[in-house]
């Protein structure tokens, strides 16, 4: 899908991108595969980055979508995502929240599971089988037990 975005006289992107068919309705005599009307540039949508466990989008950038700005790069407007690493205080607060949620479970989370700083989550002492079957954790045997289909 081809996208375009309106720009001001300094080529600063304005508003949000539009699809080609809508721009073609505004400029029916323009062949958009050959040229773009004045005041418009092609737009390239880039995928949203996957955040690491201890990352966040920079909420000082962007409007409705935090961490996102549109930038002209080589004559094309593109999504530019701004990602920040959490500060030590933010990292600790996130870990503390996960630990508090774990402790507040009713019934309590399995005692044999341990907190992993790397993943900011609780992990079992034995990895979950990856064979497509359903399992549940048995704390008495500290093992995964295949769930029976009923």
């Amino acid at each position: 899908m081809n996208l375009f975005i309106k720009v001001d006289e300094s080529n600063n992107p304005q508003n949000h991108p539009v699809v080609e068919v809508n721009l073609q309705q505004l400029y029916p005599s323009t062949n958009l595969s050959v040229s773009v009307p004045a005041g418009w540039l092609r737009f390239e949508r880039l995928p949203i980055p996957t955040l690491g466990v201890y990352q966040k989008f920079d909420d000082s950038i962007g409007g409705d979508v935090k961490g996102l700005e549109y930038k002209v790069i080589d004559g094309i407007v593109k999504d530019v995502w701004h990602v920040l690493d959490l500060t030590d205080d933010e990292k600790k607060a996130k870990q503390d929240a996960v630990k508090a949620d774990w402790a507040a479970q009713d019934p309590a989370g399995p005692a044999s599971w341990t907190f992993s700083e790397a993943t900011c989550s609780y992990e079992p002492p034995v990895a979950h089988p990856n064979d497509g079957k359903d399992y549940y954790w048995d704390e008495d045997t500290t093992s995964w037990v295949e769930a029976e289909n009923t």
Side-chain angles (χ1 to χ4, degrees):
M1 168 183 11
N2 293 323
L3 298 170
F4 299 85
I5 193 164
K6 185 123 178 89
V7 293
D8 65 15
E9 58 280 345
S10 300
N11 273 352
N12 294 313
Q14 306 295 302
N15 299 317
H16 297 285
V18 298
V19 293
E20 183 174 7
V21 67
N22 294 123
L23 190 61
Q24 191 67 69
Q25 289 172 343
L26 288 172
Y27 301 94
S29 62
T30 302
N31 181 346
L32 295 175
S33 62
V34 175
S35 66
V36 178
W40 291 86
L41 288 175
R42 294 191 180 281
F43 182 89
E44 185 178 336
R45 176 72 65 204
L46 299 177
I48 300 171
T50 301
L51 294 179
V53 174
Y54 297 113
Q55 291 182 317
K56 65 179 180 179
F57 289 110
D58 185 347
D59 61 7
S60 71
I61 295 174
D64 296 340
V65 181
K66 299 301 181 199
L68 172 65
E69 72 173 322
Y70 301 145
K71 265 192 175 170
V72 180
I73 302 170
D74 297 327
I76 299 172
V77 180
K78 298 182 181 189
D79 289 330
V80 175
W81 293 95
H82 296 270
V83 176
L84 299 173
D85 291 330
L86 298 183
T87 65
D88 288 342
D89 287 344
E90 290 170 324
K91 184 177 173 181
K92 183 173 180 345
K94 182 174 182 173
Q95 292 172 349
D96 290 347
V98 168
K99 291 173 183 178
D101 288 347
W102 184 263
Q105 289 184 63
D106 186 20
S112 63
W113 291 33
T114 56
F115 181 78
S116 166
E117 258 190 54
T119 63
C120 196
S121 64
Y122 280 84
E123 296 179 352
V126 176
H128 188 282
N130 189 15
D131 59 7
K133 298 177 183 177
D134 291 327
Y135 291 87
Y136 66 90
W137 180 254
D138 181 359
E139 183 63 16
D140 291 336
T141 63
T142 61
S143 63
W144 294 101
V145 176
E146 186 177 346
E148 293 186 27
N149 295 329
T150 54

